[in-house]
Amino acid sequence: MDFSDFNISIVGLGLIGGSFAKSLRKCGFKNLWAIDINQENLRKAEELNIIDKGFTNPSIPLSKSDITIICLYPELVVKFIQDNLKNFKENSIITDATGVKSNIVEVIQNLIRDDIDFIGGHPMAGKESKGFDISSAKIFENADYILTPTMRNKPENIKLLKEIIKEMKFEKIVETSVKDHDEMIAYVSQLPHIIATSIMNNSMADKENICSGGSFKDITRVSNVNSDLWVELLIENKDNVVKQIKDFITQLEVIENLIDLKDYHKLKEIFDKGRENKERI
Amino acid sequence: MDFSDFNISIVGLGLIGGSFAKSLRKCGFKNLWAIDINQENLRKAEELNIIDKGFTNPSIPLSKSDITIICLYPELVVKFIQDNLKNFKENSIITDATGVKSNIVEVIQNLIRDDIDFIGGHPMAGKESKGFDISSAKIFENADYILTPTMRNKPENIKLLKEIIKEMKFEKIVETSVKDHDEMIAYVSQLPHIIATSIMNNSMADKENICSGGSFKDITRVSNVNSDLWVELLIENKDNVVKQIKDFITQLEVIENLIDLKDYHKLKEIFDKGRENKERI
């Protein structure tokens, strides 16, 4: 698709915003701008030629942007839109990259101007650490992207966003409701982070000379997490996360009980079912 | 070190036994033999020239082997040694590759001939699937190896085993007691496998269109497990595994409770501590 008619602004040039800039640069937009309070990162992005220009004042780029991608922490997304309500270009599209949607999509759709189309988005990609310097177009390649459109969104705008997402080499684009998104994310993303952190807080982790194999390395990888962001996301999605932890504990207790009973056959059934599910997903 | 004086036998040519054969082939032993009931695998190993000869009858190779490496399921290790008590070469070394040691080392040391030195061993390497066909010398490279020697073992034999393990390119060799081994393994290996299986048995895993990122893929990798072997290992190490599951559930409940209370600061402390431990280990 030809994107040369569109101006695009990225708000927040951290790990995700920087990765958007690096990935979108290849798509041929008329102008690709970034907005951040960190002038150093804007300067670096200009020098790398992954944006056309960086701005600390959002009013100019927003007033000319057909699409604005907000890559801020959840609470700041709403605040940024509130503070810039008058600045957005007429009939433009806004999307975000937030990992939890319930307190974002409805709140924003209720407060924005009628002519603006806010479509919730979530690129399922990241790294254990944070910041512009480790951003990379590669983290998006073959990753999944979730959109949470509502009846308020214009079909042609959803279509345009999907074209851009495909161009960035994401593998799968899935549309879900806000409710389904937050339920799924509690399971596929937030629970794994809680597990990794729980394992690393076990008293055994304090021992000297811990040996480990691949399973331990893999399962604890994401314990090296950006805690500011993740704690905010967990609290934002409180009810779903608590439900997932409870379900998971129930499942652990089933296995614990069967081990205690030395019930070889029922344990084997559970492990075989797990392998089948893994192969299917 | 020069190994050209030694004959060595591998018992059981599955994933681990096959990987030993492929890895040991480069060490220059006088003879490298394999014992298995599966003639097809023995023939393949001969054709690949990773063993000098395969045997379905263990008496001949055992009677000439200075070192015997037993790569069978835990219960079969003891049975194999019992059945072949008279066959082992005088003053030879036997080691194993079993993931749980409590019911192996003491039992075997109590039943073998006085001249034979049984040293418990555990290469911390594997793959999600099983069998000779996926065996590889690569899985040992940079992996950890645990030895569980006792007062009964001869220091020069422990030293020889360590030389061979280094030659196979393992990164770290750790000596622990049987008790410490089984406690550590419940934490670093068995708990991660139980977690992966528990996640894949969650009702959410049955949903259509599950999207996921790297954290989910990594944390569930080992759910694709050899259930026959793993269920046996979990039951063998019952008390340690149950203790690790209980500790882990306690930790999960702490996080669950803090999320429920929206206690941002205490949650951040836990996630930061987890990251610090991860960086240290």
Side-chain angles (χ1 to χ4, degrees):
Chain A
M1 194 173 160
D2 179 16
F3 299 111
S4 61
D5 273 349
F6 296 103
N7 294 327
I8 196 161
S9 277
I10 296 163
V11 184
L13 212 54
L15 168 61
I16 299 299
S19 299
F20 266 109
K22 288 170 182 174
S23 185
L24 289 171
R25 194 45 161 174
K26 303 164 193 159
C27 299
F29 288 97
K30 190 160 72 183
N31 287 291
L32 178 55
W33 297 314
I35 299 162
D36 203 298
I37 50 172
N38 183 326
Q39 293 195 33
E40 175 66 12
N41 283 348
L42 294 174
R43 190 189 56 73
K44 278 188 209 162
E46 285 174 2
E47 276 180 18
L48 290 168
N49 194 30
I50 58 166
I51 58 170
D52 292 301
K53 194 165 165 49
F55 297 85
T56 51
N57 180 342
S59 59
I60 295 170
L62 290 186
S63 67
K64 295 180 183 171
S65 285
D66 304 287
I67 301 164
T68 301
I69 303 174
I70 306 183
C71 304
L72 300 173
Y73 281 26
E75 286 185 17
L76 291 179
V77 175
V78 177
K79 185 174 177 340
F80 180 86
I81 291 177
Q82 269 174 324
D83 292 349
N84 288 282
L85 270 184
K86 292 180 190 164
N87 291 332
F88 293 106
K89 183 180 174 184
E90 204 171 331
N91 294 315
S92 68
I93 301 171
I94 309 178
T95 188
D96 73 325
T98 314
V100 173
K101 290 280 170 265
S102 295
N103 297 322
I104 297 278
V105 177
E106 204 187 329
V107 175
I108 292 172
Q109 288 189 342
N110 283 335
L111 69 83
I112 51 171
R113 287 171 8 215
D114 284 346
D115 64 301
I116 308 283
D117 210 12
F118 177 82
I119 303 169
H122 182 190
M124 300 276 287
K127 281 191 180 177
E128 298 89 87
S129 198
K130 61 180 175 180
F132 173 75
D133 290 335
I134 59 161
S135 64
S136 158
K138 281 231 158 73
I139 63 171
F140 291 165
E141 291 174 16
N142 304 314
D144 293 347
Y145 206 110
I146 311 178
L147 290 174
T148 59
T150 68
M151 296 296 291
R152 192 188 178 286
N153 296 130
K154 297 192 180 101
E156 65 268 27
N157 288 342
I158 299 170
K159 188 161 170 272
L160 174 61
L161 268 193
K162 286 169 117 174
E163 291 294 336
I164 296 171
I165 294 165
K166 272 182 214 155
E167 202 74 18
M168 288 191 288
K169 298 190 181 162
F170 279 88
E171 187 179 335
K172 188 163 80 169
I173 308 173
V174 172
E175 293 181 41
T176 72
S177 67
V178 164
K179 185 174 163 295
D180 284 351
H181 171 275
D182 286 3
E183 189 186 27
M184 182 162 73
I185 242 49
Y187 171 59
V188 299
S189 174
Q190 297 185 307
L191 182 61
H193 281 77
I194 290 166
I195 289 168
T197 294
S198 295
I199 292 189
M200 292 317 303
N201 274 280
N202 186 301
S203 58
M204 287 289 290
D206 295 330
K207 288 218 169 184
E208 296 294 314
N209 252 336
I210 285 278
C211 288
S212 63
S215 62
F216 189 79
K217 289 183 184 97
D218 282 358
I219 218 155
T220 59
R221 182 179 61 82
V222 292
S223 62
N224 192 5
V225 79
N226 170 356
S227 59
D228 292 317
L229 173 62
W230 275 86
V231 170
E232 188 176 330
L233 289 170
L234 293 174
I235 291 176
E236 288 267 343
N237 203 19
K238 183 168 81 70
D239 295 346
N240 284 311
V241 173
V242 166
K243 182 177 177 305
Q244 285 304 318
I245 296 175
K246 281 191 196 301
D247 283 2
F248 177 59
I249 289 176
T250 303
Q251 193 60 45
L252 287 172
E253 284 170 342
V254 168
I255 293 180
E256 181 194 330
N257 188 39
L258 291 173
I259 291 173
D260 211 32
L261 293 170
K262 298 189 177 188
D263 191 332
Y264 182 91
H265 294 290
K266 284 211 182 118
L267 276 169
K268 189 163 151 48
E269 271 174 28
I270 289 178
F271 277 80
D272 286 340
K273 169 95 187 303
R275 190 179 60 241
E276 281 161 28
N277 282 343
K278 173 71 177 171
E279 282 162 3
R280 187 174 45 79
I281 295 185
Chain B
M1 194 173 161
D2 178 17
F3 298 111
S4 60
D5 273 349
F6 296 103
N7 293 327
I8 196 161
S9 277
I10 297 164
V11 183
L13 212 53
L15 167 62
I16 299 298
S19 300
F20 266 110
K22 288 171 182 173
S23 186
L24 289 171
R25 193 47 160 172
K26 304 164 193 158
C27 299
F29 288 98
K30 190 161 72 182
N31 286 292
L32 178 54
W33 297 313
I35 299 163
D36 203 299
I37 51 171
N38 183 326
Q39 294 195 32
E40 174 67 12
N41 284 347
L42 294 173
R43 190 189 55 76
K44 279 188 207 162
E46 285 175 0
E47 275 180 18
L48 290 168
N49 193 30
I50 58 165
I51 59 170
D52 293 301
K53 193 165 166 50
F55 297 85
T56 50
N57 180 343
S59 59
I60 296 170
L62 290 185
S63 68
K64 296 179 183 172
S65 285
D66 305 285
I67 301 164
T68 301
I69 303 174
I70 306 183
C71 305
L72 300 173
Y73 282 25
E75 286 184 18
L76 292 179
V77 174
V78 177
K79 185 173 177 340
F80 181 86
I81 291 177
Q82 268 173 325
D83 292 349
N84 288 282
L85 271 183
K86 292 180 191 166
N87 292 332
F88 294 107
K89 183 179 173 185
E90 203 172 333
N91 294 313
S92 67
I93 302 171
I94 310 179
T95 187
D96 72 325
T98 314
V100 173
K101 290 281 169 264
S102 296
N103 297 323
I104 296 279
V105 177
E106 206 188 327
V107 174
I108 291 172
Q109 289 190 342
N110 283 335
L111 70 82
I112 51 171
R113 284 169 13 212
D114 285 345
D115 64 302
I116 307 283
D117 210 11
F118 177 83
I119 304 169
H122 181 190
M124 300 277 287
K127 280 190 180 178
E128 299 89 88
S129 198
K130 62 181 174 181
F132 174 75
D133 291 335
I134 60 161
S135 64
S136 157
K138 280 231 159 75
I139 64 171
F140 291 165
E141 291 176 16
N142 305 313
D144 293 347
Y145 205 110
I146 311 177
L147 290 174
T148 58
T150 68
M151 296 297 292
R152 194 189 178 285
N153 296 130
K154 297 192 181 103
E156 65 269 29
N157 288 341
I158 299 170
K159 188 162 168 269
L160 174 61
L161 267 193
K162 286 168 116 174
E163 291 294 335
I164 295 171
I165 293 165
K166 272 183 214 154
E167 202 74 18
M168 289 192 288
K169 298 190 182 162
F170 280 88
E171 187 179 336
K172 189 163 80 171
I173 308 173
V174 173
E175 292 182 40
T176 72
S177 68
V178 163
K179 186 174 163 293
D180 285 352
H181 171 276
D182 285 3
E183 189 186 27
M184 181 163 73
I185 243 49
Y187 171 59
V188 300
S189 174
Q190 297 185 308
L191 182 61
H193 282 77
I194 290 166
I195 289 168
T197 294
S198 295
I199 292 190
M200 292 317 303
N201 274 281
N202 186 300
S203 57
M204 288 289 289
D206 294 331
K207 289 218 169 185
E208 295 294 313
N209 252 336
I210 285 278
C211 287
S212 63
S215 63
F216 188 79
K217 289 184 184 95
D218 282 357
I219 218 155
T220 59
R221 182 179 62 83
V222 291
S223 62
N224 191 3
V225 80
N226 170 356
S227 60
D228 292 316
L229 173 62
W230 276 87
V231 169
E232 188 176 333
L233 289 171
L234 293 174
I235 291 175
E236 289 267 341
N237 203 19
K238 183 168 81 71
D239 295 345
N240 284 312
V241 173
V242 166
K243 181 176 177 306
Q244 286 304 318
I245 296 175
K246 282 192 196 300
D247 283 3
F248 177 59
I249 288 176
T250 304
Q251 194 60 46
L252 288 171
E253 285 170 340
V254 169
I255 293 180
E256 181 194 331
N257 188 37
L258 290 173
I259 292 173
D260 211 33
L261 294 170
K262 298 189 176 187
D263 191 331
Y264 182 91
H265 294 289
K266 283 210 183 117
L267 276 170
K268 189 165 151 46
E269 270 174 29
I270 289 178
F271 276 80
D272 286 339
K273 168 95 188 304
R275 190 177 62 241
E276 281 161 28
N277 282 343
K278 173 70 178 171
E279 282 162 3
R280 186 175 46 77
I281 294 186

